[in-house]
Amino acid sequence: MAKTAADCTTMAEIRENIDRVDNALMALFEERWSFIRRAAEIKAGLGIPADVPARVKEVRDNANRNAQAYGLDGDFYEEIWAQLIEHAIAYEKTQLGEG
């Protein structure tokens, strides 16, 4: 059953809700990945390379700022996003025949 952290009184409830949130995050990551796949298709048609440094910076900066807005460690989450970006660029390079 979905609860807030403050409503949890046992470790079992904490774990159940962490697992619930982790599953929801995976659904969001899958949605994000659907846009990465589509971006590769669009880039192929427009001749845009997989790695667009200005966009990489923008996405990393957004991750940092968004994390901070939620009271999280912006630098930590920016690094997580850096890994997501690196993985996406590698995928797009393969799809675009860049490498």
Side-chain angles (χ1 to χ4, degrees):
M1 171 187 233
K3 291 185 175 190
T4 67
D7 291 333
C8 292
T9 59
T10 68
M11 285 307 300
E13 289 173 328
I14 291 288
R15 291 176 181 139
E16 177 183 332
N17 282 279
I18 286 174
D19 291 347
R20 175 185 57 78
V21 170
D22 286 351
N23 188 55
L25 286 170
M26 287 304 156
L28 290 171
F29 282 132
E30 191 287 321
E31 180 180 4
R32 187 182 195 281
W33 196 255
S34 74
F35 289 103
I36 301 302
R37 289 190 301 267
R38 184 64 179 133
E41 294 170 0
I42 291 171
K43 285 179 176 183
L46 297 175
I48 298 171
D51 189 358
V52 180
R55 178 61 181 156
V56 169
K57 181 179 181 341
E58 180 181 16
V59 174
R60 287 183 66 153
D61 290 348
N62 287 344
N64 192 310
R65 185 178 54 257
N66 290 337
Q68 288 182 46
Y70 283 98
L72 300 169
D73 180 342
D75 293 337
F76 175 77
Y77 287 95
E78 181 181 341
E79 285 304 313
I80 290 173
W81 254 246
Q83 290 181 37
L84 291 171
I85 294 164
E86 183 180 313
H87 188 61
I89 289 171
Y91 169 82
E92 288 182 4
K93 282 184 175 184
T94 298
Q95 296 303 304
L96 298 172
E98 295 178 11

